[in-house]
Amino acid sequence: MLRYGPPGFDAYLRLPVDPVGPVALGLGLDADVDAMEIALRVLAGHTTTPEVAYVGVWHGYGFASGPDPDAPVVPLPNAWMYLFTGPVSAMRYAQQVVWSLAGGVPDTGIDAEPDLVWPADHAWCLACEVDEEIEFSIGCTDAAASALEEALPGLVRRVAYGQDAPWERPHDRPPHEALGPRADGRHEARGPGPVGPGGPVGPGGPGGPGGRS
């Protein structure tokens, strides 16, 4: 569940966690492409509920910048997640909001990816397991998969559900053009801001990512 999301989607994809070098996105070359941010923009167009989505945040991060959040908990095998809700547009930087500074100010120095994201209609699910360093997963429709391949040419690979994939970068991996791993295994801060234009993320109600029937 934590690595691929639920079974039952038409297509499963793997995309890079780190920003990548210049990629043609249809609007010219972007020298610092955040695949997860772009993927969520695309996926917002492939759900009937783009303003109502859920994000699962692993309880074990426990960033020292703020208290543990007051939110419902979703128990999953070997981990449990705090559950928050908000628009799809806010989900890429949900971690900065959840683990906010005093007074609720988003902590833009935190760069942990959301662990699970899914819309209320369960049209797709994005999964980024806590220890992933290389890729994250998306389960979705074939139409959404094709749209992602078009938006991120050369960065999307189709896989079978549960297909084995490497977890960590090789220790002799050269430093990334834009950033490198922090001592704690997460990544250096990146991205334009703590939340997207759709608004903040707040505690969610009961539920889980489910799967498409």
Side-chain angles (χ1 to χ4, degrees):
M1 173 68 79
L2 293 180
R3 197 163 199 210
Y4 276 93
F9 288 105
D10 297 333
Y12 286 88
L13 314 173
R14 297 280 287 174
L15 296 86
V17 170
D18 277 354
V20 295
V23 175
L25 299 176
L27 300 174
L29 291 177
D30 189 324
D32 190 23
V33 176
D34 186 307
M36 185 177 290
E37 184 174 0
I38 293 172
L40 284 168
R41 292 181 197 170
V42 172
L43 291 170
H46 290 267
T47 170
T48 60
T49 59
E51 296 302 315
V52 183
Y54 298 92
V55 59
V57 174
W58 180 53
H59 79 285
Y61 285 123
F63 291 110
S65 57
D68 287 350
D70 180 17
V73 171
V74 177
L76 293 173
N78 303 316
W80 48 274
M81 302 277 168
Y82 293 116
L83 180 63
F84 292 83
T85 187
V88 173
S89 59
M91 292 305 174
R92 172 62 184 88
Y93 299 103
Q95 294 275 18
Q96 287 89 335
V97 177
V98 171
W99 305 105
S100 58
L101 299 168
V105 178
D107 187 348
T108 57
I110 291 172
D111 187 45
E113 292 77 17
D115 297 297
L116 289 169
V117 177
W118 67 95
D121 66 357
H122 294 187
W124 45 263
C125 182
L126 182 152
C128 188
E129 212 277 353
V130 174
D131 294 322
E132 293 276 16
E133 288 189 350
I134 299 176
E135 296 175 312
F136 64 95
S137 303
I138 294 173
C140 59
T141 63
D142 283 323
S146 296
L148 288 164
E149 290 169 331
E150 182 176 355
L152 291 162
L155 298 182
V156 179
R157 63 187 188 95
R158 298 202 183 207
V159 296
Y161 181 78
Q163 179 176 321
D164 190 31
W167 290 83
E168 299 177 344
R169 304 180 188 89
H171 293 297
D172 60 351
R173 174 183 176 273
H176 192 278
E177 297 167 351
L179 55 98
R182 295 190 327 203
D184 62 4
R186 305 307 298 171
H187 309 295
E188 297 293 347
R190 66 178 184 266
V195 294
V201 176
R212 294 183 67 248
S213 58

